[in-house]
Amino acid sequence: MHKPTGLAPTTPKNPTTSPAEGDTTLRPPAPSPAQETAHRQGGDLRAYSAGQISLDLSVCHNRYGPPRHVLNSIQELLAQRPEDLAPPPYGCEEPYLEAFAEHLGGVSPDDLLPGRGVTEFLTVLARVLSSSVRGGSLLSRLSRLAGRGRSGDVLWRLARGGVGVIAPDYTETMNLFHYADFHSPDVLQQDSAEQRLHRLRQAMARHTGGAVILSNPCNPTGIFLTREDLLHAAAEHRSTLLVVDEEYLGLRGGPELGLAGTDLDNVVVLQSVGKSYGMVGVRAGVLWTCNDQFRQRIASQLIRWPLSLLDAQVATAALHDKVWLAVTRAAIHDDAARLQNALTSVFGARVVKSQLHYRFVHLHDPLPVVEHLTNCGIAVRAFTKGGPRVSGMRVAAPKGPQELALLTDALVTLPSAWADAA
């Protein structure tokens, strides 16, 4: 378990101006694009020069998206109802929540909150749970809720147990919950579903009266814990809040894999449309829980208009296209299987097997490999070791044979010494 003081600070860019004459101050060398991308999120190509990247495999979304139906919906809005853009977006989240409730397997829309992607909810949760840890204003609120039934009781207990994060997790999540205890895998071996579940159970017991944060499927490794195992852990530790980020779940399978709809009031589920439908620029997510008191507490921290009209329009149109996701999911699984073969031929057992649209490669030092791929015009996501972070490289599945050929050609020219020693 780690308790880092800071996670992956952004590397400052080297000044472009030359030092003044007589200036003997030592300046660090300009970071390479590979070093820069180790501190940036996927899809952020600002460290590269113009035209340097011809294939972006650094961001893990559905690369077949967005659905054509979504584009038609936006064109219709702008062409036929531009006046809808004038007033505030009163009620625009209502059809969105109804569509998302159906998407989650028929849960009640009343158990959902709309927000600007999963990130907004994680930001709010980090603030709310932090105030619980510090014993601030939330503690008095929760104390007044004690005795109001099961949901209020769960809220009151949150003031006592602290917060745990099952690492590795999204870099942004670990940054937001910097004050948490990080439950990390053994540094001497690669992570596995069994180990990750074991750490979750330990964390749920350790943070009794608190909360545990988990991404499932895991970013960046792709490890997946079953619904049955997660519900069993939550049922065993009813005094611990389990927050599950299911951002990538739709790219693995249907709603039956997720936790939404359970009657356990210590479960919170986060999802969005961005990754699954290939439109991460659309900031539309949901928080689901059957815990009324906790949902109300989070709702009180959200802005008055949680979604813009355009976000709601695009997201709702995507959710109404019920066939597109299943069809493209099958295509990206085929692409990912070919990616698995290409990576395994070079890196062997260090490639994590998963049923997702990306693969993670455990590398002691990923930067030389990432730099080589950069020189071949391919962007991937590098992760460098530090605290709860895992060291390696995440690669999204190339779309179709032409993109796969570009990656394969780059891997073939990778110096064998780098592949062996990385």
Side-chain angles (χ1 to χ4, degrees):
M1 183 173 65
H2 299 272
K3 193 107 174 179
T5 57
L7 292 172
T10 301
T11 304
K13 292 193 174 183
N14 206 41
T16 56
T17 56
S18 302
E21 186 176 355
D23 183 1
T24 59
T25 303
L26 293 177
R27 300 181 186 273
S32 69
Q35 291 171 319
E36 279 279 338
T37 55
H39 304 305
R40 293 180 182 269
Q41 293 184 318
D44 187 350
L45 305 182
R46 290 176 294 175
Y48 301 103
S49 59
Q52 185 177 3
I53 298 301
S54 56
L55 179 58
D56 181 11
L57 302 179
S58 69
V59 61
C60 293
H61 63 283
N62 189 336
R63 301 186 64 249
Y64 289 88
R68 183 65 196 176
H69 178 65
V70 169
L71 303 181
N72 292 340
S73 175
I74 284 294
Q75 291 169 355
E76 176 188 352
L77 171 64
L78 298 178
Q80 301 181 19
R81 296 182 288 120
E83 66 278 2
D84 289 355
L85 296 173
Y90 291 108
C92 75
E93 74 279 4
E94 294 173 4
Y96 165 71
L97 291 180
E98 291 175 1
F100 219 123
E102 185 178 353
H103 174 73
L104 291 176
V107 303
S108 171
D110 294 336
D111 291 339
L112 293 173
L113 292 177
R116 293 163 293 183
V118 167
T119 301
E120 178 173 31
F121 290 116
L122 288 170
T123 302
V124 171
L125 285 165
R127 182 170 64 246
V128 168
L129 296 177
S130 174
S131 65
S132 299
V133 172
R134 295 194 306 268
S137 59
L138 180 61
L139 181 58
S140 60
R141 284 176 176 263
L142 302 185
S143 297
R144 290 197 297 270
L145 291 172
R148 294 188 186 179
R150 190 173 60 180
S151 294
D153 192 39
V154 168
L155 271 174
W156 177 75
R157 291 193 298 265
L158 281 176
R160 303 182 318 203
V163 178
V165 174
I166 308 303
D169 206 311
Y170 292 82
T171 300
E172 182 71 12
T173 299
M174 295 192 293
N175 285 336
L176 288 169
F177 290 91
H178 59 87
Y179 57 85
D181 292 327
F182 289 86
H183 300 262
S184 306
D186 190 324
V187 295
L188 299 179
Q189 57 184 326
Q190 294 181 190
D191 204 2
S192 67
E194 292 75 17
Q195 294 175 43
R196 193 165 172 83
L197 178 60
H198 177 67
R199 297 199 304 280
L200 172 67
R201 287 172 171 161
Q202 286 185 321
M204 294 288 285
R206 176 182 176 85
H207 297 285
T208 299
V212 173
I213 315 298
L214 170 80
S215 65
N216 193 55
C218 173
N219 180 23
T221 63
I223 293 173
F224 176 72
L225 302 183
T226 67
R227 170 185 168 90
E228 292 72 22
D229 283 338
L230 292 180
L231 290 181
H232 184 67
E236 281 186 325
H237 304 281
R238 295 294 293 270
S239 296
T240 307
L241 190 73
L242 176 60
V243 179
V244 185
D245 180 350
E246 295 182 348
E247 178 75 60
Y248 286 138
L249 188 69
L251 288 163
R252 192 183 193 279
E256 70 280 357
L257 301 179
L259 302 191
T262 178
D263 60 357
L264 294 173
D265 68 348
N266 61 326
V267 172
V268 174
V269 174
L270 308 176
Q271 280 203 27
S272 83
V273 298
K275 299 288 177 41
S276 295
Y277 290 91
M279 46 186 198
V280 183
V282 175
R283 309 307 300 161
V286 293
L287 179 150
W288 178 92
T289 182
C290 66
N291 187 319
D292 294 336
Q293 298 287 358
F294 190 77
R295 190 184 327 104
Q296 291 170 15
R297 173 58 180 153
I298 300 302
S300 70
Q301 301 297 304
L302 301 176
I303 63 174
R304 181 175 185 182
W305 295 296
L307 296 180
S308 75
L309 177 64
L310 290 176
D311 285 331
Q313 176 84 11
V314 170
T316 305
L319 292 165
H320 282 158
D321 193 339
K322 305 182 188 310
V323 176
W324 184 89
L325 182 57
V327 171
T328 59
R329 185 192 297 133
I332 61 174
H333 283 188
D334 289 342
D335 291 338
R338 288 186 281 269
L339 171 65
Q340 176 87 33
N341 293 334
L343 292 174
T344 302
S345 67
V346 177
F347 301 106
R350 284 175 288 180
V351 182
V352 179
K353 295 181 180 179
S354 71
Q355 297 182 40
L356 279 173
H357 55 302
Y358 60 86
R359 291 295 184 269
F360 186 82
V361 185
H362 287 278
L363 301 172
H364 176 69
D365 181 9
L367 296 184
V369 177
V370 173
E371 191 77 53
H372 172 79
L373 294 176
T374 296
N375 293 334
C376 295
I378 301 172
V380 298
R381 180 74 193 277
F383 294 84
T384 52
K385 184 63 180 174
R389 289 170 61 89
V390 64
S391 180
M393 173 180 70
R394 190 191 67 196
V395 186
K399 185 173 68 173
Q402 290 185 330
E403 290 189 357
L404 179 65
L406 292 175
L407 178 62
T408 302
D409 289 345
L411 293 173
V412 167
T413 58
L414 180 70
S416 59
W418 291 1
D420 295 337

